[in-house]
Amino acid sequence: MTTSQMAVVFGILGNIVAFLVYLAPLPTFYRICKKKSTEGFQSIPYSVALFSAMLTLYYAMLKSNGFLLITINSIGCAIESTYLIIFLIYATGSTRMYAIKLLILFNAGTFGLILLCTSFIPNAYLKLKVVGWICAVFSVCVFAAPLSIIRLVIKTKSVEYMPFPLSFCLTLCAVMWFFYGLLVNDFFIASPNILGFLFGIAQMIIYIVYKRHSKEGILPEFKLKEAPTGVELEVAKENKAKENNKNIDQGAELADNKPLQENTTINDDNKSASMEGKNVESVV
């Protein structure tokens, strides 16, 4: 098998695995559509994924042999855009406004600025290098993002927020694209995926180490995606207030009844003393 054929094989495998990674949030959006609420979810991961796909798609279009990059990143743009549309439909208030601002400033503004600045570069080869470096730097930032999740796992000793299948798919995806970039002599594709592979291996090792702690219930019973909504919190506060008022009323009632009980006890003592007096008189 020649080098170009091996590159095609790894490129196709990379497309398949990357497609599975893009489909990973489907259960999340099924939940959002079912409950008609975004609950505790945020739009940042989908906005970042969309920007990454847009940037890599732009880079692939500048290349002469970037067909396999164009296919998967076109699909990625479509899938992530669909996720964000669904998110905006069911998001409310400040959450929706934040998502809109992020799309305008980050996805449209930053990407538009990159397009504008690179359009003034007359040399096609130099433009490819500049866009390639931008893609590589951004990919490194994306691959470094799981560091916060790793820190959370170590801190809580629970792997609730770091599912193993997703970590495995991301690691496998990094391996495929690394070999693809290596075989087509594309430094900007191969180099960031080295870091992605290392972080993926680190996540899986940490998952295995801390997996047994997840059963001990160290974290609260609800996960981030199952966090109570604002309405549920208000209902809980009202119920708590009612319970406190009930306890106060019961305490006041007991306090009011105490003097009556004391008076009853005194009257009973007086009656007993009176009866004893009468008994003494009768004996005398």
Side-chain angles (χ1 to χ4, degrees):
M1 186 178 287
T2 63
T3 303
S4 59
Q5 290 175 335
M6 290 178 65
V8 171
V9 170
F10 277 105
I12 292 173
L13 291 174
N15 272 255
I16 294 170
V17 179
F19 180 70
L20 294 176
V21 172
Y22 280 129
L23 294 182
L26 276 179
T28 297
F29 283 90
Y30 173 77
R31 178 189 176 90
I32 289 174
C33 292
K34 186 177 179 180
K35 294 199 170 185
K36 301 186 185 303
S37 171
T38 56
E39 298 180 310
F41 296 108
Q42 297 295 325
S43 61
I44 296 176
Y46 315 109
S47 181
V48 170
L50 176 61
F51 184 83
S52 179
M54 291 166 62
L55 198 57
T56 309
L57 180 61
Y58 177 45
Y59 171 73
M61 292 177 71
L62 296 175
K63 287 173 61 69
S64 57
N65 57 345
F67 176 74
L68 290 172
L69 291 173
I70 291 173
T71 52
I72 187 57
N73 286 286
S74 299
I75 293 171
C77 286
I79 292 174
E80 296 299 333
S81 297
T82 304
Y83 289 156
L84 286 166
I85 290 170
I86 295 172
F87 187 91
L88 290 174
I89 290 172
Y90 292 107
T92 57
S94 59
T95 305
R96 178 182 291 173
M97 286 304 301
Y98 180 80
I100 292 172
K101 289 178 182 178
L102 192 64
L103 285 171
I104 294 173
L105 296 176
F106 183 59
N107 294 88
T110 306
F111 185 72
L113 186 63
I114 292 171
L115 284 177
L116 180 63
C117 293
T118 54
S119 65
F120 290 107
I121 302 175
N123 190 303
Y125 179 76
L126 181 60
K127 181 190 290 187
L128 180 66
K129 292 294 182 184
V130 171
V131 176
W133 274 110
I134 295 172
C135 284
V137 171
F138 185 77
S139 296
V140 168
C141 295
V142 171
F143 283 130
L147 284 174
S148 60
I149 302 298
I150 292 174
R151 179 176 174 272
L152 179 64
V153 170
I154 294 173
K155 183 179 179 180
T156 60
K157 295 181 173 56
S158 172
V159 294
E160 286 186 83
Y161 300 115
M162 193 174 68
F164 184 84
L166 182 59
S167 298
F168 177 76
C169 285
L170 289 172
T171 306
L172 192 61
C173 189
V175 171
M176 297 303 168
W177 287 114
F178 166 74
F179 281 108
Y180 172 80
L182 189 67
L183 292 168
V184 298
N185 296 318
D186 193 327
F187 168 81
F188 303 113
I189 297 297
S191 56
N193 284 288
I194 297 174
L195 190 63
F197 171 75
L198 294 176
F199 280 130
I201 293 295
Q203 286 185 66
M204 289 191 289
I205 292 172
I206 290 173
Y207 181 92
I208 293 170
V209 171
Y210 288 100
K211 182 182 178 181
R212 61 187 179 85
H213 293 284
S214 298
K215 299 178 180 180
E216 297 176 4
I218 295 173
L219 290 178
E221 291 183 0
F222 60 85
K223 299 178 183 178
L224 179 62
K225 64 180 182 180
E226 298 172 350
T229 61
V231 176
E232 292 171 342
L233 288 173
E234 290 297 327
V235 172
K237 288 179 181 178
E238 290 178 3
N239 292 336
K240 186 67 176 177
K242 289 179 181 178
E243 185 179 349
N244 291 337
N245 292 334
K246 184 178 180 181
N247 292 336
I248 292 171
D249 293 339
Q250 289 177 348
E253 185 178 350
L254 289 173
D256 292 339
N257 291 335
K258 190 173 181 181
L260 294 176
Q261 292 175 354
E262 291 177 351
N263 292 334
T264 304
T265 304
I266 293 170
N267 291 334
D268 290 341
D269 292 341
N270 292 334
K271 287 180 180 179
S272 299
S274 176
M275 291 296 294
E276 288 176 358
K278 288 180 180 179
N279 291 334
V280 171
E281 289 176 357
S282 62
V283 171
V284 174

